[in-house]
Amino acid sequence: MPAPVGSVDIELDLIQWVQGKVGPAVVVRDEVDNNLLAELPTIQVQRLPAGDDDSFRLDRALVDVDVYAASRGEALDLAGRVRAWLLLELRGAKTSRAQYGRIRSSPPPAIRPYENTGLRRAGATYEIYSHPVS
């Protein structure tokens, strides 16, 4: 019997996948906290309360990926690298939890406002199609 729709924790899977790309010098997580300035650069991965499924196995998730860094250039550079990894390497890839299909960014990485002037935030929203590994 196939795994139920929505059984893939896409945040956890993407956090682990992106962490493998950036290595230990970058923090990848689902939530930021009051220690953010001491943990730059940080990549935040959050599934949005949107998307849909085919009622069988295919899940279409909308995921925000924000990069927090010390400078605008660093935030945009890392956000661009994450975009390239997701669009070029994750598309068609298989992890221990999921098989990934179509991935697109809309909007692509851009500077997003953030209240703390000691850092910069760049982010993008990704539409990601996946299904559980059989």
Side-chain angles (χ1 to χ4, degrees):
M1 175 164 180
V5 170
S7 64
V8 175
D9 183 340
I10 194 136
E11 283 183 2
L12 177 62
D13 206 43
L14 290 176
I15 287 168
Q16 291 176 346
W17 190 85
V18 170
Q19 188 71 70
K21 293 291 183 188
V22 295
V26 177
V27 177
V28 184
R29 64 211 277 166
D30 56 0
E31 294 183 354
V32 295
D33 58 26
N34 292 334
N35 200 31
L36 183 58
L37 276 174
E39 298 176 332
L40 297 178
T42 290
I43 299 172
Q44 181 183 25
V45 177
Q46 295 183 96
R47 182 174 182 154
L48 300 176
D52 54 25
D53 58 68
D54 70 353
S55 75
F56 178 60
R57 287 176 46 102
L58 187 65
D59 187 31
R60 183 181 70 90
L62 297 180
V63 178
D64 259 352
V65 178
D66 287 313
V67 172
Y68 299 86
S71 72
R72 178 185 178 101
E74 186 181 1
L76 284 169
D77 177 65
L78 185 52
R81 285 189 283 148
V82 169
R83 180 180 188 225
W85 292 327
L86 292 175
L87 297 182
L88 302 175
E89 295 181 33
L90 186 61
R91 180 183 294 158
K94 181 178 175 181
T95 66
S96 63
R97 293 180 186 85
Q99 174 72 51
Y100 290 91
R102 179 178 173 206
I103 299 173
R104 71 182 189 102
S105 58
S106 180
I111 291 296
R112 292 179 169 180
Y114 197 69
E115 298 80 27
N116 188 330
T117 58
L119 56 85
R120 296 295 177 261
R121 174 181 157 205
T125 301
Y126 295 89
E127 177 185 52
I128 300 174
Y129 286 83
S130 68
H131 64 78
V133 172
S134 299

